[in-house]
Structures are given as C-alpha cells and as structure tokens.
C-alpha cells in the first residue's frame, strides 16, 4: 500500500451547511436512501488500478438487489482527494460513499461530515482489527467501515547479516540488537546497520506503546499529552538508543524516501511498511545491485519481550451526512468490504479489515509475517484536536530534537506534551 496517510485538516469552512442539515440523521437505522435510484462512489486510484474487478462485483451485488440502480464511480489520487472532497461537502451535491485514509477520518467525524452507521449491519464488524475499528469510532459511534490495512515489518539484507555470522531472522529483541551490533562493527561508522529516520513517529511510537506508554490519554473527558510519563519515556529512550547506535545517516530526515535510501546499499535493515522492501529492491531503486533476492521481512520483536506493536495504516469507507442515499451506500460498502471483497483484497497483497481473515494469512509462508505483525497494533488518540497535533508536527519536532541531541528525552517529551495539550481538545 504505497501511499502516505495524512490527517484531515482544514475542513471547518465546509461545516456550516453540514451542521444545518445534520440533525435529521440517526445511527444507521435510517431508511433514507432505500429507494434511491443513483449512487456515487468516490475511491482512490488504488482500487481503479489494482482491483477494479472487486468494484464491479460490489456494483453487481447491489444492482441485483436493486434493479435499475445506477452506480457512478470517481477516482482520485491521495494528494488531491481531500481538497475536492472538502469543496463538494460544502454543497448539496455530495458523493454517497467516500474512501478515506484511516488517519484522515477523525477530523471529519469531529466536524460532523459523516453519517453514523450501524456497525452490526456490516460483515465481520465484531472482528474488525482494533486499530482500524478505532479509526472509524468517535464518541462511541461508528462513522465508517474499515476497508483494508497495511502493517509494518522489519526488513533486512540476508546476505549482509549472514556475512557477519547471522543466519536467521531475529525472534527476540536481544537477538536483533546482537545481530545489528555484529553488522555495525563489521561495516563501520559510516554504515547504518539499521536505517531509522529520526522523525519517523510511526516507528518511535511503536516503542512508546511497547513500553506501556502512549501519545496522549483521556481523563475525565479531557485529553492530555502522555509522552513524559515514565512508560513513554522508557520507550522514547530505547528509540533514541536505536538511532544513536545504528542510524548513521541524516538525523533530520523523515521516512518518506526510506525505500530509496535503503536501495543505495548503505544500510542493513529498515522497519517500515511491508511494501518498502520489495520497492527498494526494484531495479529503479536498487542502486547497489545487491538487494534483489537478498531481502527478508520479519516480525519486529520489541524490548518488552512481545512483538513490537505497529501502526496500522489503511483505508476506511464513509457516508457523507448530506447523502440522499445513505442506506444504499451502506449496502454497497458491505458488498465491497464483506467476505468476498476481503478475499479479493488479500489476494492482492493487502491485509484484511478483520481478525478472522487475518488469522488465515498466518498459514501461508508468503503472508505470515505481515499478518502476525498486524496482530499487535496501535492507533492515534481519537481526540477532537488530533489533526492539529499532526499538522503542527509535534511528534516529529520532538523526535528530531532527541535524535540530534538538541534536547534530552525528558526535555523534548515535556515540551511535546505542552504543545499537545494546547490543541488536542479543540474541535
């Protein structure tokens, strides 16, 4: 799943008209749209390019039940999707189904852009992956349906580690660091045995959650930053140790071009999205000529002794509150994300939206690693102002200060909590 998920921001201006018509919607039991004759579905180009047959199958299922229904599809790239969505949500001509990155959902739910749905009407909803379920839930109501997911895994060069005497992927954190120490000693200080971009907050927060910490926590209906708690500091301290010991590249970089840097052959391992290894070894990226056939994904062990909890990226499907075909939209979403759809998505290399299907992937050597890694996952705080925290890049700033040594872990974490507290409860 090669794309970056961006938090929804800048949608306040479209909400005046939404609020004006939002009071007549209920919690998914509405019969609004049961007799609709037309449905408009907005998806990203991922569906158009990679699994158009699944879209057609969902259309066919709905049209079989509702003969004569016209289903329109529009496809958008991730960079421009939200700007176009924001523009139409301020009008009365909205799509009936829209695909959202899972970290984009919160800002729209907070502002009332999406209709509440009855989760019980969707197949496998009782088994939705925890991180994905969190992304469509706000104030105990469901505003979307998880579509598919992508996890994070470790990936290393088998040839490089074998040359240092390491023959198998690590099962424990002690095995991982011991292997990294051997490669680092063998390759020297200009080599990154683990290329870990300092500003990569998805990776850093995995260490925080592994240690029992969190980005923020809710107390008495209010959210507060929690990065300076003892547990979070422990996780951040270990992340700093990784960056100090094994990452010898630019300490101000983020993860956006990690697969490109990996392909340059000056690092031995990465921890990132499951697609990054395969992309790094593609001919256009493998500048060293040594990666093809030498890369291996593995489940990241955590310092706690358990698998490192990973952030689950993914997509959700939502129904705009101003849609005149809400019931029909919900039926289409269920047809698209139900058992047949999940089977098709898994065949394309995606993780499913539910634990039941995820378990089946553990029986296949080709998918056991990402499936196992995804079982332990975390998600961002579902606080009204989380989008503003992301927009301000509070976590990235904190991590860069830690990684470059500008501030101690404690100083940077305390400052980050202060910045988080300023906006995290703001709708």
């Amino acid at each position: 799943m090669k794309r970056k998920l961006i938090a929804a921001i800048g949608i306040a201006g479209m909400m005046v008209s939404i609020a004006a018509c939002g009071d007549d919607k209920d919690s998914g039991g509405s019969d609004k749209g049961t007799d609709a004759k037309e449905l408009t579905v907005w998806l990203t180009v991922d569906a158009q390019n990679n699994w158009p047959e699944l879209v057609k199958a969902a259309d066919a299922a709905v049209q079989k039940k509702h003969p004569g229904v016209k289903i329109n599809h529009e496809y958008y790239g991730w960079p421009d999707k939200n700007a176009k969505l924001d523009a139409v949500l301020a009008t009365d001509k909205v799509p009936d189904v829209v695909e959202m990155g899972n970290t984009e959902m919160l800002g729209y739910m907070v502002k009332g852009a999406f209709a509440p749905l009855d989760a019980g009407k969707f197949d496998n909803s009782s088994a939705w992956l925890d991180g994905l379920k969190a992304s469509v839930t706000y104030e105990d109501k469901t505003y979307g349906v998880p579509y598919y997911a992508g996890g994070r895994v470790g990936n290393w060069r088998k040839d490089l580690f074998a040359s240092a005497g390491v023959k198998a992927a690590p099962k424990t954190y002690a095995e991982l660091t011991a292997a990294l120490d051997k490669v680092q000693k063998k390759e020297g200080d200009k080599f990154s045995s683990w290329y870990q971009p300092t500003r990569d907050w998805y990776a850093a927060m995995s260490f925080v959650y592994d240690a029992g910490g969190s980005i923020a926590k809710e107390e008495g209906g209010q959210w507060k930053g929690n990065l300076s708690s003892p547990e979070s500091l422990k996780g951040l301290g270990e992340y700093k140790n990784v960056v100090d010991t094994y990452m010898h590249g630019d300490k101000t970089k983020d993860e956006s071009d990690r697969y490109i840097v990996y392909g340059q052959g000056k690092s031995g391992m990465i921890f990132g999205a499951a697609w990054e290894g395969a992309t790094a070894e593609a001919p256009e990226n493998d500048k060293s000529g040594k990666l093809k056939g030498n890369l291996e994904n593995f489940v990241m062990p955590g310092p706690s002794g358990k698998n490192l909890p990973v952030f689950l990226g993914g997509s959700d499907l939502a129904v705009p509150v101003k849609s005149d075909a809400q019931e029909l939209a919900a039926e289409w979403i269920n047809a698209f994300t139900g058992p047949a759809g999940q089977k098709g998505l898994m065949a394309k290399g995606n993780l499913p939206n539910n634990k039941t299907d995820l378990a089946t992937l553990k029986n296949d050597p080709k998918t056991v690693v990402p499936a196992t890694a995804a079982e332990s996952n975390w998600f961002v705080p579902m606080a009204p102002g989380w989008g503003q925290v992301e927009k301000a890049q509070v976590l990235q700033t904190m991590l860069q200060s830690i990684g470059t040594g500008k501030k101690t872990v404690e100083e940077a974490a305390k400052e980050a909590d202060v910045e988080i507290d300023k906006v995290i409860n703001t709708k």
Side-chain angles (χ1 to χ4, degrees):
M1 187 173 51
K2 185 179 176 182
R3 41 97 169 158
K4 189 171 182 179
L5 302 176
I6 307 170
I9 57 176
I11 60 174
M14 70 174 180
M15 292 303 167
V16 175
S17 59
I18 289 176
C21 68
D23 294 336
D24 61 344
K25 311 301 188 298
D26 61 24
S27 299
S30 171
D31 60 358
K32 181 172 183 177
T34 53
D35 58 349
K37 300 301 182 183
E38 191 168 348
L39 193 69
T40 298
V41 178
W42 281 21
L43 299 172
T44 69
V45 292
D46 297 332
Q48 182 181 35
N49 296 334
N50 300 319
W51 45 86
E53 71 279 10
L54 302 183
V55 177
K56 291 180 181 178
D59 290 352
V62 170
Q63 289 170 331
K64 181 178 180 180
K65 185 177 178 181
H66 302 278
V69 165
K70 181 181 179 182
I71 303 178
N72 307 303
H73 292 281
E74 295 184 28
Y75 296 94
Y76 295 93
W78 286 101
D80 59 355
K81 173 182 67 70
N82 284 5
K84 293 180 179 180
L85 178 61
D86 294 349
V88 300
L89 287 180
T91 73
D92 292 324
K93 199 167 185 178
V94 300
D96 303 296
V97 177
V98 61
E99 178 180 351
M100 305 293 296
N102 60 356
T103 64
E104 296 174 340
M105 282 290 294
L106 181 57
Y108 289 83
M109 293 190 293
V110 168
K111 297 296 184 181
F114 297 143
L117 303 172
D118 180 355
K121 291 185 177 182
F122 298 93
D123 295 321
N124 293 318
S125 60
S126 62
W128 284 344
L129 297 179
D130 294 339
L132 300 186
K133 182 178 179 180
S135 75
V136 298
T137 306
Y138 182 66
E139 294 185 340
D140 298 322
K141 290 185 178 181
T142 301
Y143 290 92
V145 176
Y147 170 12
Y148 67 99
R152 283 165 168 74
V153 298
N155 181 285
W156 70 3
R157 284 179 51 183
K158 293 183 294 182
D159 61 331
L160 192 66
F161 281 84
S163 69
V166 181
K167 305 299 183 182
K171 301 297 184 183
T172 68
Y173 195 69
E175 290 179 359
L176 173 63
T177 55
L180 290 166
D181 289 341
K182 290 179 180 179
V183 168
Q184 194 63 62
K185 182 178 180 179
K186 181 175 182 293
E187 298 296 328
D189 292 342
K190 293 184 178 181
F191 188 86
S192 294
S193 56
W194 177 349
Y195 178 71
Q196 179 51 58
T198 309
R199 291 170 62 89
D200 177 10
W201 64 275
Y202 297 111
M205 294 305 106
S206 287
F207 282 88
V208 167
Y209 282 91
D210 181 68
S214 61
I215 300 170
K217 62 180 181 179
E218 187 178 16
E219 294 180 351
Q222 290 289 301
W223 287 85
K224 287 185 63 65
N226 193 46
L227 292 166
S228 57
S229 69
E231 297 83 2
S232 296
L233 289 175
K234 182 179 179 181
L236 287 171
E238 184 53 38
Y239 183 71
K240 174 176 171 56
N241 181 57
V242 167
V243 172
D244 287 350
T245 307
Y246 306 119
M247 164 63 176
H248 298 287
D250 184 348
K251 299 290 179 71
T252 67
K253 285 182 66 65
D254 65 18
E255 72 281 6
S256 60
D257 64 347
R258 173 169 43 213
Y259 65 96
I260 294 175
V261 176
Y262 196 28
Q264 294 170 354
K266 296 180 181 179
S267 49
M269 170 193 151
I270 59 172
F271 169 48
W275 54 263
E276 291 188 54
T279 306
E281 72 174 19
E284 64 270 23
N285 295 320
D286 183 8
K287 303 303 181 183
S288 69
K290 299 178 180 178
L291 271 58
K292 186 66 175 179
N294 281 318
L295 298 185
E296 178 183 21
N297 280 340
F298 60 90
V299 179
M300 277 291 291
S304 68
K306 301 177 181 179
N307 292 340
L308 195 68
V310 299
F311 175 82
L312 281 184
S315 280
D316 299 325
L317 297 173
V319 179
V321 73
K322 294 171 74 173
S323 165
D324 291 325
Q326 292 179 20
E327 190 69 19
L328 192 62
E331 289 184 26
W332 189 91
I333 291 174
N334 194 45
F336 191 51
T337 63
Q342 293 302 307
K343 183 178 180 180
L345 287 165
M346 289 189 292
K348 297 290 185 177
N350 300 294
L351 294 178
N353 67 4
N354 67 89
K355 299 171 185 176
T356 305
D357 286 327
L358 186 70
T360 66
L361 295 180
K362 295 176 67 177
N363 299 322
D364 186 340
K366 295 180 180 178
T367 54
V368 63
V369 168
T372 301
E375 288 182 317
S376 178
N377 56 78
W378 62 272
F379 197 64
V380 300
M382 295 303 285
W386 173 251
Q388 296 184 54
V389 176
E390 281 204 52
K391 182 181 180 181
Q393 298 194 358
V394 174
L395 299 182
Q396 294 95 320
T397 299
M398 174 190 70
L399 294 172
Q400 183 169 322
S401 294
I402 291 172
T404 58
K406 183 179 179 180
K407 294 173 183 173
T408 67
V409 171
E410 292 79 7
E411 291 170 342
K414 287 180 180 179
E415 289 188 12
D417 278 347
V418 170
E419 294 304 310
I420 288 172
D421 290 346
K422 289 178 181 179
V423 297
I424 196 167
N425 293 293
T426 304
K427 290 188 176 181

